[in-house]
Each structure stands twice: as structure tokens, then as C-alpha cells.
Amino acid sequence: MNPTIELLKSHRSIRKFTDQPVSRELLVTLIEAGQAAASSSHVQAYSIIHVKSPDNRKKIAELAGGQGYVATCGAFLVFCADMKRPTEAAENSGGRVVRGMTEQLLVASVDTALMAQNVAIAAESEGLGICYIGGIRNNPQAVSDLLGLPSHVYPVFGMCLGYPAHEPDVKPRLPVEAILKEDTYSDDREQVEAYDAAMRTYYGQRKGGNKDATWSQSLTPLFDTKLRAHMREFLIERGFEMK
Amino acid sequence: MNPTIELLKSHRSIRKFTDQPVSRELLVTLIEAGQAAASSSHVQAYSIIHVKSPDNRKKIAELAGGQGYVATCGAFLVFCADMKRPTEAAENSGGRVVRGMTEQLLVASVDTALMAQNVAIAAESEGLGICYIGGIRNNPQAVSDLLGLPSHVYPVFGMCLGYPAHEPDVKPRLPVEAILKEDTYSDDREQVEAYDAAMRTYYGQRKGGNKDATWSQSLTPLFDTKLRAHMREFLIERGFEMK
């Protein structure tokens, strides 16, 4: 295994950070590494808000469901899907522009995720720890208001960065045989059962918070209610009309 | 700059490959590195179809808009957002399950992109080149039929992998000042203008296919028609109803 693959496989979310700040210089290096990711038709449909205001960080920590590390980590970023810049660029060079297509929502969301993952890896390669904060979608309108996001821009997720002050275990993943299929989609119930057993063992033994549950059981709260049912209306409101 | 960041910053899409195959062993290593990426609530909402059938690779090359390297690269993967596995897992462990939420489409698409970007980086760290194939969304229903994708699974993009047989330039990215904003969203028209000039120079000088266009001009064909207008109906048909 080469050192880069070793680094990728050592990922775990970090939620406790030392006081050491993340320098502006390092942050720029990480974002530039992020920008080097592939982008659909080179559209680069993303913007990142570096939230420095302690007040706003506290507010976002609350809005994200009480995730205190949003306020205390070395740097907090909000990754936004941005269709404003590319559509305005096309318009300003004389193009007629159609907005609000479902395809554009996908392109911008995927572009943002690819670039963010590069930022995550670059950060980890420099000894930082990171944690994605999907919880900003709990209250995406309030977060958008705090950050002054214009139309055709929406916050996909946040990311905490900083120097790790704990060393959590790496969580086991689904068996690769469940994920990687040959030529056609195939049933993976058997692998999921094996994984359920492995995750029950992991949850029972892990540092910092045991629970008695399989992977399948741990997913039930995600689907038994309409989690983040506001997302549809929120996206339409922001100009991502899913036409 | 550490070697990992150097690797990230050296990315360019590869579209010509040598005959050297990609071994099954290496592919498994790359997918495992992909799975190590963060996943929303550990839901791991993705599956990868390794398309080995030469017939299907030729068909997908055509369906993606005549991208011959889909048929000729060392390995071709289709990355699918998969909400079937996690929702069935929750159901099988006794949970009541709500499907078709917009939030679930986002979670699965983002999960898939984060994992794919890890695969891309792992591949590049092993000397392979890659190219994302968004073109599979030109004919997503036909691609889904070829791969036997069930409901609640949709193909987000493909990826060509193989050993590079050309050495394209690294494309310049938007100025980091346009992308990285402090505390609130700020105007970036000035940076876009500077970038337009830089891209015109790049397009005029690059190896393999010059053109006389700014970045803004190059975007106009993307937005002047309803590109992939079928995506909304396609996703609904697949059970991603964007409720």
C-alpha cells in the first residue's frame, strides 16, 4: 500500500481539536488542492465560505443540531454549490441561460463534493483532522442568511478542520464485495448480514460511546421520519427548482 | 508542498490509455480506499458497477456521446447512488421507511462523489490516469437497463481508469480568491475577468485542441438549452422523487 492510499484508509472524523489555529496560508493550500479535482465541463460550480466570526460559528453549531466543535475547531468552512458564478459568466459573455434544471443541481452538488474531498485529503496529509457537517442542512435557510448566500447558491455541507485532540477508531466499512459489482447489479443481502455482525462488535467495543446495534439497526432513525423534509422547498426557494 | 498535495494538484483527465490492464487486486485496493471516505451517518449509499462486458462498454461509450475511451480504457466503473441497500437494511431490521426525499437524493449523490474522488486519488497515486464520465447521464435510463440497476439506485457518473498514454496539461483553475470567501458571500466578477483572460491564453496554447474562447464563453453551450432535461423524470422513475 503506498503512503497516499494508507492516508486515505486512515480517515476518521475528528470532533475534538487542539487550540492550534489553521493558518490562512495552509487554508489556501488546501483550497487550491481542492480546486484541482475534476469538475463537470470545467464549470467549477462551488464556493467556500470560511466562517471566521465567532458569533456565526456559535450560531451554526446550534443550527447544525448542537455540534459544539463547529465553534471550537481550528477552521470552519461551508461548502456551497454555486450555479450563480457560471450562469452569470455565460450570461455576461452573451449566452442565453436556462436555470433551475435538476441536472444543474446534480452537477453543482457533485462538483462541490469532489472538491471538498480533495480538501479533506490535503488537510489530513498535513496532519489535520476533519469532520463533515451535514447538519447544516437541518436549518439551511438560516445558515444561508447568516452567510449572505445569493440565489443559485446553496450550502451542501460544512467542514471542521483542526489539529486532532483525540484518536478515534477507524470505522469498518461494508465488505467490498457488497459495493463492487461485476457487469450488473447483484444482491448483497449476505454481505450486509456479515457486516451487521461486524458493526455490532465494533459498536460494542469502540472508544468513546458504545452501543448495542447492527449497522442496519443504526440506520432506522434516518428513514423512519421525513428527515430534512424542508430540503425540497428550500432548494426551490434558492433557485434550484429541479425542473 | 507534501507529496499528497502535489499529487492532488497534478490531476488532469486522461482519455488515452495503454493496453496494460488494471488488475482485479488493484481495483479492490482502489475501491477500499474509496470506501474509507466519510459517509453521511455511515449510510454508504453507493454501489459501483465494474463493466467488463466489451459489448456493454461499447454501448455505454456510444450512449455517453461517443466517448471511445469508455470502451478502450483499462477499467470502466459506473458509480451509482444507492438508497436501496440502506433503506432495505433499515426495513429488514424492523424500521418503517420513507423513501424519495430530496435530502436522500443529495445524501446518496454526495456520498457517491466523496467515495469516487478517493478512488480517483488512489488510482493516480498508483500511476493510473482517470476520467470522470458525466456523459452517462445523457442516456441514464439506457445505461441503467444495461447494468440491471434496481429502483432507488441511479448512475451518477462513470470513471475510466488505466495507464496514461498521453500527458495533457493541467488546466488552470479559478483564482482561489473567487472560490474562498470570508464570512459572507462576496462578488467575484473581477477574478472571473482575470480568469477569462488566463483561460483564453491557455485554450490558445494547450496541447491537443486549441480554441479561441474565455472560460465564460466556453460555458455558454452548457446553459443555453435545457441540458439533460430528462434527469427530473428519470430520477422520479427510479424512485428518487425529490419529495
Side-chain angles (χ1 to χ4, degrees), chain B residues 57-77:
Chain B
R57 284 177 58 167
K58 268 182 223 154
K59 283 179 192 155
I60 296 173
E62 279 319 300
L63 291 168
Q67 301 196 58
Y69 30 94
V70 166
T72 56
C73 62
F76 180 66
L77 306 176

Side-chain angles (χ1 to χ4, degrees), chain B:
Chain B
M1 218 182 331
N2 74 50
T4 299
I5 293 181
E6 234 168 88
L7 176 77
L8 295 173
K9 293 189 77 168
S10 68
H11 167 75
R12 63 276 178 278
S13 292
I14 294 298
R15 294 185 174 85
K16 290 177 193 161
F17 300 92
T18 71
D19 289 340
Q20 194 180 339
V22 177
S23 72
R24 165 85 190 173
E25 193 192 345
L26 177 54
L27 200 57
V28 166
T29 300
L30 305 183
I31 304 304
E32 285 177 344
Q35 292 182 261
S39 161
S40 180
S41 303
H42 207 45
V43 73
Q44 304 169 74
Y46 41 66
S47 286
I48 300 172
I49 315 289
H50 177 202
V51 187
K52 299 177 79 175
S53 150
D55 248 28
N56 280 356
R57 284 177 58 167
K58 268 182 223 154
K59 283 179 192 155
I60 296 173
E62 279 319 300
L63 291 168
Q67 301 196 58
Y69 30 94
V70 166
T72 56
C73 62
F76 180 66
L77 306 176
V78 176
F79 286 80
C80 304
D82 188 340
M83 268 294 168
K84 173 182 156 68
R85 185 189 304 109
T87 53
E88 287 189 356
E91 226 160 29
N92 290 336
S93 70
R96 186 179 148 264
V97 162
V98 180
R99 291 184 172 91
M101 305 297 293
T102 300
E103 166 70 7
Q104 293 169 354
L105 172 67
L106 293 179
V107 162
S109 304
V110 166
D111 255 31
T112 304
L114 299 182
M115 100 85 81
Q117 185 58 13
N118 262 20
V119 172
I121 291 158
E124 291 176 341
S125 79
E126 286 286 317
L128 301 178
I130 69 110
C131 182
Y132 281 95
I133 307 293
I136 62 165
R137 295 196 306 275
N138 289 350
N139 290 289
Q141 186 60 57
V143 171
S144 303
D145 291 346
L146 279 179
L147 307 180
L149 299 186
S151 207
H152 306 106
V153 177
Y154 92 92
V156 189
F157 43 71
M159 188 187 287
C160 295
L161 296 112
Y163 294 89
H166 67 152
E167 193 52 75
D169 298 325
V170 174
K171 235 184 252 181
R173 263 54 178 180
L174 278 158
V176 68
E177 297 76 20
I179 299 298
L180 180 60
K181 300 170 190 292
E182 291 209 352
D183 277 320
T184 51
Y185 195 95
S186 53
D187 184 75
D188 47 35
R189 182 86 70 101
E190 215 170 286
Q191 287 98 339
V192 169
E193 276 170 26
Y195 183 59
D196 271 342
M199 281 304 287
R200 165 166 273 151
T201 305
Y202 167 80
Y203 282 138
Q205 298 177 344
R206 70 171 172 186
K207 289 180 258 173
N210 298 352
K211 59 178 175 182
D212 178 25
T214 65
W215 177 68
S216 295
Q217 286 166 346
S218 75
L219 297 179
T220 55
L222 282 183
F223 300 119
D224 68 357
T225 55
K226 293 183 176 175
L227 184 68
R228 298 178 186 147
H230 52 263
M231 282 308 290
R232 176 187 163 78
E233 282 312 309
F234 166 71
L235 287 170
I236 292 172
E237 178 68 28
R238 297 219 68 77
F240 291 91
E241 292 143 315
M242 297 173 275
K243 287 189 283 197

Side-chain angles (χ1 to χ4, degrees), chain A residues 121-224:
Chain A
I121 291 157
E124 291 176 341
S125 79
E126 286 285 317
L128 300 179
I130 69 108
C131 182
Y132 281 95
I133 307 292
I136 63 165
R137 295 197 306 276
N138 290 349
N139 288 289
Q141 187 59 57
V143 170
S144 302
D145 291 345
L146 279 179
L147 306 180
L149 299 186
S151 208
H152 306 106
V153 177
Y154 93 91
V156 189
F157 43 71
M159 188 187 287
C160 295
L161 296 113
Y163 294 90
H166 68 151
E167 192 52 74
D169 298 325
V170 174
K171 235 184 254 182
R173 263 57 177 179
L174 277 160
V176 69
E177 297 76 22
I179 298 298
L180 179 61
K181 300 170 190 293
E182 291 208 353
D183 276 320
T184 50
Y185 194 95
S186 53
D187 184 74
D188 48 34
R189 182 86 68 100
E190 215 172 285
Q191 288 98 338
V192 168
E193 274 170 26
Y195 183 58
D196 271 342
M199 282 302 288
R200 165 166 274 151
T201 305
Y202 167 79
Y203 283 138
Q205 298 177 344
R206 71 171 171 186
K207 291 180 256 171
N210 297 352
K211 60 178 172 181
D212 179 25
T214 66
W215 178 67
S216 296
Q217 286 167 345
S218 76
L219 297 179
T220 55
L222 282 183
F223 300 118
D224 68 356

